[in-house]
């Protein structure tokens, strides 16, 4: 099909299979409509929808970025294009601090710096064949699915929003939101722990079952560890590479968005062991000052400041999880992850509850159905907020019980 109306070039028709749009734009559209119609409600509005950080950047990162910008202002220290895979100083700091210091043998040149793991989720499909059978958790971070739809690895959408050709791994309260490997063969498996949206974490034994499966089926695990900094339980692995054998069957995605508060700054990285694949990114990596800012998160002050940020958001998670329980709701997650996954009361659908919370409590949450069919009957509260807002949401949640 050619581009409609102006009839130039051919379209990637896979895009036409995409459903109502990426979940968060749909949430934003409903919130915008509500705010236009109800200015009073708009003034009271508290957003616990998209998991976007609210607190200022760690001062160590700010100082490092300022110094780097100054360097660019002098001929002697000016830099043009950086290395495509990222500057050596950042790649080696990551490999050392996040992996080798934890006895995981990752080499500096197995780290690929990017402007966030969302993009890498899409780019990684460029190097994988279109005949791969793909498995995703359900509920799922929509980017894993949508990038596969756009790359043509799926059939059309079904009525419930799922896609033909994708193997869905149900994550339910019965399996503590951690799926077991399927009985059948798949080639590529997306896993995310700590999980977005359920806040669940996987034990070493559960991850080892996935590594065994991958080895047995010659499958590739795409492990999203964007929230690893939120793990407080010392028994829970921070990386898939903590599991013996994973170096030959896994790729790991990490991000500075949720630990260093870089959602707007943009910086993440992918760990691609040489035994799995080689990769050269499509882009020229990330701005020099941003990479210096990311490096500074590993300094002694940076680490301390990141840990204070995590404590702040996890303090909110406790307030919100307790409030949901006090309101008589069944709540999961929020202990090793900044998301609370809550059962909707009285069989209300998740979009109905979204609309009701928007209208009556003036609180934005994310409806579980937007994350997949198994998300129906749940909603997600994000703990990324000021403490004041988290406490106010906790107060407002009380009235959900009485209404
Ligand atoms: C979310 O709310 O699920 C995340 O903020 C989305 C993202 O990290 O892209």
């Amino acid at each position: 099909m050619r581009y409609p109306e102006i009839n130039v070039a051919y379209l990637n028709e896979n895009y036409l299979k995409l459903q109502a749009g990426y979940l968060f734009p749909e949430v934003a559209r409903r919130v915008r409509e509500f705010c236009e119609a109800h200015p009073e409600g708009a003034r009271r509005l508290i957003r616990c929808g998209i998991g976007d950080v609210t607190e200022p950047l760690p001062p160590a990162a700010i100082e490092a970025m300022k110094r780097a910008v100054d360097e660019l202002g002098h001929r002697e220290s000016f830099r043009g294009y950086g290395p495509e895979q990222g500057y050596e100083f950042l790649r080696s700091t990551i490999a050392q601090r996040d992996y080798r210091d934890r006895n995981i043998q990752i080499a500096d040149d197995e780290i690929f710096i990017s402007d966030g793991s969302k993009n890498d989720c899409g780019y990684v499909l460029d190097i994988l064949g279109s005949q791969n059978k793909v498995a995703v958790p359900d509920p799922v971070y929509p980017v894993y699915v949508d990038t596969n739809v756009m790359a043509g690895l799926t059939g059309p959408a079904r009525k419930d929003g799922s896609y033909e050709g994708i193997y869905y791994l149900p994550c339910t309260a019965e399996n503590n939101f951690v799926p077991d490997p399927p009985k059948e063969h798949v080639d590529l498996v997306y896993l995310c722990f700590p999980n977005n949206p359920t806040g669940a974490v996987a034990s070493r034994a559960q991850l080892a079952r996935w590594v065994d499966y991958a080895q047995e089926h010659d499958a590739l695990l795409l492990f999203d560890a964007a929230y690893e900094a939120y793990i407080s339980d010392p028994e829970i692995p921070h990386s898939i590479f903590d599991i013996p054998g994973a170096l030959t069957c896994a790729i790991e995605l990490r991000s500075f968005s949720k630990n260093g508060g870089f959602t707007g700054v943009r910086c993440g990285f992918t760990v691609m062991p040489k035994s799995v694949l080689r990769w050269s990114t499509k882009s020229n990596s990330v701005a020099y000052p941003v990479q210096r800012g990311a490096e500074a998160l590993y300094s002694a002050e940076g680490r301390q400041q990141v840990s204070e940020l995590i404590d702040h958001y996890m303090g909110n998670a406790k307030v919100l999880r307790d409030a949901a329980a006090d309101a008589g709701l069944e709540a999961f997650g929020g202990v090793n992850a900044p998301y609370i996954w809550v059962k909707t009361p009285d069989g209300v659908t998740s979009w109905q509850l979204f609309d009701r919370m928007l209208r009556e409590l003036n609180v934005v949450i994310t409806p579980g159905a937007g994350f997949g069919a198994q998300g129906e009957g749940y909603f997600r509260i994000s703990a990324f907020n000021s403490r004041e807002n988290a406490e106010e949401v906790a107060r407002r949640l009380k009235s959900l019980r009485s209404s």
Side-chain angles (χ1 to χ4, degrees):
M1 178 179 173
R2 289 178 74 82
Y3 199 92
E5 288 165 24
I6 48 176
N7 196 35
V8 292
Y10 288 96
L11 275 182
N12 173 355
E13 293 187 22
N14 295 310
Y15 276 61
L16 304 176
K17 296 179 202 159
L18 289 170
Q19 291 303 283
Y22 177 56
L23 169 65
F24 295 107
E26 174 58 17
V27 167
R29 189 188 65 74
R30 291 190 189 211
V31 172
R32 207 170 37 246
E33 273 179 21
F34 171 81
C35 290
E36 278 162 18
H38 304 92
E40 187 55 33
R43 273 191 288 280
R44 292 184 77 231
L45 196 74
I46 301 181
R47 294 170 196 269
C48 296
I50 192 162
D52 193 5
V53 293
T54 55
E55 303 308 295
L57 291 175
I62 298 278
E63 289 312 315
M65 286 195 276
K66 281 185 184 163
R67 279 195 302 273
V69 170
D70 283 343
E71 280 178 48
L72 299 181
H74 296 94
R75 178 164 298 280
E76 316 74 60
S77 47
F78 172 76
R79 295 170 190 244
Y81 287 128
E84 282 175 18
Q85 291 86 358
Y87 282 103
E88 188 51 38
F89 63 78
L90 182 55
R91 300 176 84 192
S92 67
T93 302
I94 292 169
Q96 185 65 43
R97 307 302 289 273
D98 282 336
Y99 296 97
R100 294 195 293 265
D101 283 356
R102 296 177 178 199
N103 293 322
I104 300 172
Q105 291 317 307
I106 293 290
D108 300 355
D109 62 356
E110 292 174 313
I111 305 288
F112 296 82
I113 311 297
S114 70
D115 58 348
S117 51
K118 186 187 278 178
N119 289 356
D120 276 357
C121 261
Y123 290 156
V124 78
L125 295 178
D126 292 348
I127 52 173
L128 297 172
S130 56
Q131 61 278 60
N132 283 321
K133 173 93 178 157
V134 179
V136 298
D138 179 8
V140 61
Y141 176 45
V143 173
Y144 310 152
V145 174
D146 289 358
T147 48
N148 276 283
V149 174
M150 293 185 279
L153 273 79
T154 75
R158 302 191 190 93
K159 269 209 180 74
D160 64 359
S162 64
Y163 287 88
E164 284 175 22
I166 290 198
Y167 189 96
Y168 287 90
L169 302 158
C171 303
T172 60
E174 287 68 44
N175 63 14
N176 291 318
F177 305 100
V178 181
D180 267 332
K183 299 271 176 288
E184 64 184 75
H185 172 86
V186 298
D187 302 291
L188 177 62
V189 183
Y190 289 77
L191 294 175
C192 171
F193 291 108
N195 187 257
N196 178 12
T198 65
V201 283
S203 68
R204 192 171 292 276
Q206 285 166 321
L207 292 178
R209 281 205 284 283
W210 276 106
V211 170
D212 289 349
Y213 174 88
Q215 289 182 326
E216 201 177 309
H217 286 261
D218 292 327
L220 177 65
L221 304 178
L222 235 169
F223 191 80
D224 185 348
Y227 299 92
E228 63 79 30
Y230 290 83
I231 295 173
S232 54
D233 180 342
E235 295 302 312
I236 300 294
H238 286 241
S239 164
I240 190 69
F241 301 123
D242 259 326
I243 310 299
L247 283 170
T248 58
C249 62
I251 293 174
E252 183 159 287
L253 299 167
R254 292 251 189 135
S255 165
F256 295 108
S257 288
K258 310 294 161 85
N259 58 1
F262 274 34
T263 54
V265 176
R266 308 305 306 152
C267 194
F269 60 93
T270 295
V271 187
M272 186 89 79
K274 290 188 195 80
S275 42
V276 177
L277 283 167
R278 299 306 299 147
W279 198 14
S280 182
T281 56
K282 268 186 175 175
S283 69
N284 275 316
S285 195
V286 180
Y288 172 67
V290 167
Q291 295 193 53
R292 281 292 184 202
E295 180 194 31
L297 299 176
Y298 291 89
S299 66
E301 316 85 276
R303 287 202 158 214
Q304 177 57 31
Q305 292 157 4
V306 166
S307 137
E308 284 162 17
L309 277 178
I310 305 282
D311 287 350
H312 166 80
Y313 292 125
M314 289 312 290
N316 289 350
K318 179 162 174 25
V319 167
L320 292 163
R321 187 182 155 131
D322 289 352
D326 287 350
L329 301 168
E330 202 176 350
F332 304 88
V335 177
N336 290 289
Y339 296 123
I340 302 107
W341 188 240
V342 189
K343 209 156 176 30
T344 61
D346 314 321
V348 173
T349 72
S350 61
W351 277 109
Q352 281 166 344
L353 194 83
F354 171 88
D355 288 332
R356 184 168 147 200
M357 287 185 69
L358 183 58
R359 239 183 10 254
E360 296 174 14
L361 308 190
N362 306 139
V363 170
V364 181
I365 46 87
T366 309
F371 295 106
Q374 295 290 339
E376 184 51 283
Y378 288 90
F379 65 98
R380 190 191 77 175
I381 313 180
S382 158
F384 292 108
N385 227 315
S386 63
R387 182 59 49 81
E388 195 188 351
N389 276 352
E391 285 170 351
E392 177 58 21
V393 170
R395 273 191 290 278
R396 294 188 200 172
L397 274 173
K398 287 202 184 100
S399 63
L400 202 60
R401 182 170 41 184
S402 47
S403 53

